[in-house]
Amino acid sequence: MDITFKNDAQADAVAVMASEGGVLLAAGKALDEKTGGGITRAMKASRFTGGAGQVLEILAPANLESGRLLVIGVGAPDKADGLTVEKWAAQAVRRTITTGAESLALHAEGVGGVAGAEAAARAGVGAHLATYRFDRYKTKLKPDAKPSLKDVTVVTEGAAGAKGKYDPLTGVVEGVFFARDLVSEPPNVLHPPEFASRLKAMESLGLEVTVLDVAEMTKLGMGALLGVGQGSVRESRLVVMSWKGAKNKAAQPICFVGKGVTFDTGGISLKPGAGMDEMKGDMGGAAAVSGVMMALAKRKAKANVIGIVGLVENMPDGAAQRPGDIVTSMSGQTIEVLNTDAEGRLVLCDAIWYAQEKFNPTAIVDLATLTGAIIISLGHEHAGLFSNNDALAADLTAAGLAEGEAVWRLPLGPAYDKMIDTPNADIKNISGKPAAGSITAAQFLQRFVKDGVAWAHLDIAGTAWKPAPYEDPTSPAWATGFGVRILNRLVANRYEE
Ligand code: BES
Ligand code: MN
Ligand code: ZN
């Protein structure tokens, strides 16, 4: 689908903005006049009040060439921002995409905290996000279930300025789509070697991509990560993606680290059967890291960033690790594996240690679908944030709010840390108590963070994918791609020259 910016457009469908109280913005007012008050009458004949996300659909409006007129609410103007405009445009695309209409004109206007060119660019982003579908495996889609929409024109006075703002953002949307695809792919297709080869293909974007296999990881002493994958017929991988966009290519980078369990059965500590299929998404952290590296390369970010993903499949098998096993991590610390289903932290601890040894980063942010407990705490609305650094935590919180990927900070502390001590090894992989499960998982990771390194951990188990009814017009599928936008914004705000 093409998204363009023009001063005027004719299209099969046209969308305008209305704010709370059913107040039409300028483009809507003009069309209301043209249709002889048709919009005003339609608003009176319905319960449309201009609330954010509300849609009033007028078919065959008088005196208009467009056969379909959409009036879509943006809510209270003083609360509107770029995200409001994205959702507004996304709603328009969702309502049009399979109707038979081939073209849509979006009359995006500045409202609340978002002005002209920026509003138009964000409308483009929302429209683009709304086109996401994962129908690669649908071979029998009826023609009328396929998208008809081909051209979206964002109608705005400053078309050139809007396009200038939109172009780098479209790379970010492509990163989000890449992450969504990875999360949605079935686990028989997307196993660690396949994941790694899809990342290798990103070298064409100017990224440097290195793939470590089992032999190389064995040499490095990554006993924790390798223990998780040893029951699978698919070999584990560690992939390093490097983007050197800073003027000084030798400047210390920031590292993003992702959990990439391509399927989590729980291992010998087998999960219950119901809903286990969702564990194909247990590589959501790795998908987010991959997606943001794509975004940074596409928009040529002026920063040095390393993305590292630990890719394993957690299977029960005669060769699988057992509860009670003690493994030695790359850091040298020994870990008693009391539950093979607490595998994400085992993958991350070696990836985090490797990141520090190899790249001496100023900061590390790891992302992982780490604990079911974070869904109990925060539902699907916020990811959990844990950090040893208040400034990094504040920057991530602000970035998340700006990008519609909200995070909520939870505490760390010595009393929680004690809960993962064991008489048998340096550390155990579960506390064994039904208490503070997301925090003790984060404490485990912190034991692998060196002094002086700013570190944050995002537990995205509740946000990497969303069950119905939590969908959003900008994220119509199960997989959300959560993490790409917050990390991209963190880089832009905190690290770019
Ligand atoms: N991948 C799961 C966490 C998860 C649960 C992600 C639900 C998304 C949705 C993780 O590996 C896991 O199994 N965690 C256990 C930890 C427990 C054994 C200490 C959990 O949360 O139950
Ligand atoms: Mn698990
Ligand atoms: Zn897992």
Side-chain angles (χ1 to χ4, degrees):
M1 208 185 68
D2 276 343
I3 298 175
T4 50
F5 297 83
K6 288 188 188 140
N7 296 343
D8 198 10
Q10 278 305 319
D12 297 342
V14 49
V16 297
M17 291 175 157
S19 62
E20 213 169 54
V23 179
L24 290 167
L25 274 68
K29 273 192 200 138
L31 289 187
D32 192 33
E33 261 173 44
K34 213 170 165 190
T35 57
I39 299 181
T40 303
R41 278 171 55 216
M43 285 199 286
K44 278 202 187 117
S46 70
R47 284 184 157 173
F48 181 85
T49 61
Q54 267 188 15
V55 182
L56 176 63
E57 207 162 4
I58 306 169
L59 292 177
N63 310 325
L64 282 195
E65 277 175 45
S66 304
R68 191 176 284 266
L69 171 56
L70 297 163
V71 186
I72 301 177
V74 293
D78 55 331
K79 293 206 184 96
D81 59 13
L83 290 171
T84 312
V85 177
E86 285 181 19
K87 290 205 162 72
W88 171 84
Q91 191 69 268
V93 168
R94 298 301 306 156
R95 289 299 191 108
T96 317
I97 192 161
T98 55
T99 57
E102 293 186 357
S103 56
L104 168 66
L106 293 174
H107 290 271
E109 298 178 57
V111 55
V114 57
E118 172 74 9
R122 298 294 286 271
V125 168
H128 192 176
L129 282 168
T131 63
Y132 183 76
R133 296 168 66 97
F134 188 75
D135 51 14
R136 187 169 297 171
Y137 298 98
K138 297 283 249 181
T139 66
K140 294 179 176 177
L141 268 185
K142 303 245 156 54
D144 64 1
K146 290 184 184 163
S148 54
L149 192 59
K150 292 192 180 75
D151 296 302
V152 173
T153 308
V154 181
V155 181
T156 173
E157 268 154 34
K163 187 173 158 33
K165 284 185 189 289
Y166 172 76
D167 282 344
L169 297 177
T170 199
V172 180
V173 176
E174 281 158 18
V176 171
F177 284 9
F178 184 51
R180 288 179 185 174
D181 279 350
L182 291 168
V183 169
S184 295
E185 280 284 16
N188 59 329
V189 172
L190 194 78
H191 44 68
E194 169 64 19
F195 199 139
S197 70
R198 290 193 190 187
L199 299 186
K200 191 78 188 160
M202 288 210 291
E203 284 195 322
S204 64
L205 300 175
L207 288 156
E208 192 186 304
V209 182
T210 311
V211 180
L212 274 60
D213 64 14
V214 169
E216 289 161 299
M217 287 188 278
T218 306
K219 246 191 228 151
L220 289 165
M222 294 189 172
L225 184 153
L226 290 170
V228 177
Q230 76 187 31
S232 171
V233 297
R234 304 296 188 180
E235 271 208 12
S236 302
R237 296 282 186 269
L238 189 94
V239 181
V240 180
M241 295 159 273
S242 164
W243 175 255
K244 297 241 164 74
K247 265 196 213 101
N248 175 8
K249 309 282 176 232
Q252 272 181 287
I254 173 176
C255 277
F256 297 141
V257 178
K259 168 181 174 182
V261 177
T262 61
F263 195 72
D264 181 14
T265 64
I268 296 299
S269 313
L270 193 64
K271 287 183 181 294
M276 200 203 274
D277 58 290
E278 293 200 344
M279 286 301 131
K280 71 176 184 179
D282 206 21
M283 27 55 66
V289 169
S290 307
V292 77
M293 295 311 293
M294 173 182 276
L296 295 172
K298 289 206 170 197
R299 70 173 186 79
K300 302 208 173 353
K302 295 185 175 60
N304 293 344
V305 184
I306 307 283
I308 300 177
V309 296
L311 306 174
V312 303
E313 185 181 45
N314 188 21
M315 295 292 274
D317 182 79
Q321 71 178 353
R322 295 143 291 252
D325 281 6
I326 295 178
V327 296
T328 303
S329 66
M330 184 183 173
S331 75
Q333 298 179 83
T334 56
I335 304 163
E336 186 178 23
V337 179
L338 289 178
N339 188 320
T340 64
D341 197 14
E343 85 297 342
R345 62 200 77 180
L346 299 171
V347 174
L348 287 172
C349 73
D350 277 340
I352 287 171
W353 193 261
Y354 178 80
Q356 295 167 101
E357 291 281 282
K358 179 103 184 167
F359 299 107
N360 183 31
T362 53
I364 295 182
V365 181
D366 78 74
L367 290 90
T369 50
L370 203 62
T371 67
I374 205 70
I375 310 175
I376 307 293
S377 308
L378 300 174
H380 303 287
E381 309 310 321
H382 290 84
L385 161 66
F386 302 82
S387 183
N388 64 2
N389 184 296
D390 291 343
L392 178 59
D395 285 353
L396 276 164
T397 302
L401 280 178
E403 296 290 322
E405 294 185 344
V407 299
W408 195 264
R409 192 173 182 186
L410 288 142
L412 293 162
Y416 295 113
D417 182 72
K418 259 206 338 239
M419 293 168 74
I420 48 173
D421 282 337
T422 169
N424 300 323
D426 296 334
I427 182 172
K428 58 183 175 179
N429 79 328
I430 55 163
S431 81
K433 295 194 180 61
S438 305
I439 301 176
T440 51
Q443 292 292 166
F444 182 99
L445 300 178
Q446 196 177 7
R447 290 218 192 173
F448 297 85
V449 178
K450 295 183 183 179
D451 285 342
V453 177
W455 159 77
H457 156 60
L458 299 181
D459 192 334
I460 60 169
T463 52
W465 64 83
K466 291 191 182 189
Y470 297 98
E471 308 91 343
D472 175 290
T474 57
S475 187
W478 181 71
T480 59
F482 187 103
V484 174
R485 294 185 62 168
I486 187 175
L487 294 182
N488 176 65
R489 174 73 73 136
L490 182 78
V491 170
N493 288 357
R494 192 179 155 105
Y495 298 100
E496 268 185 89
E497 294 158 354

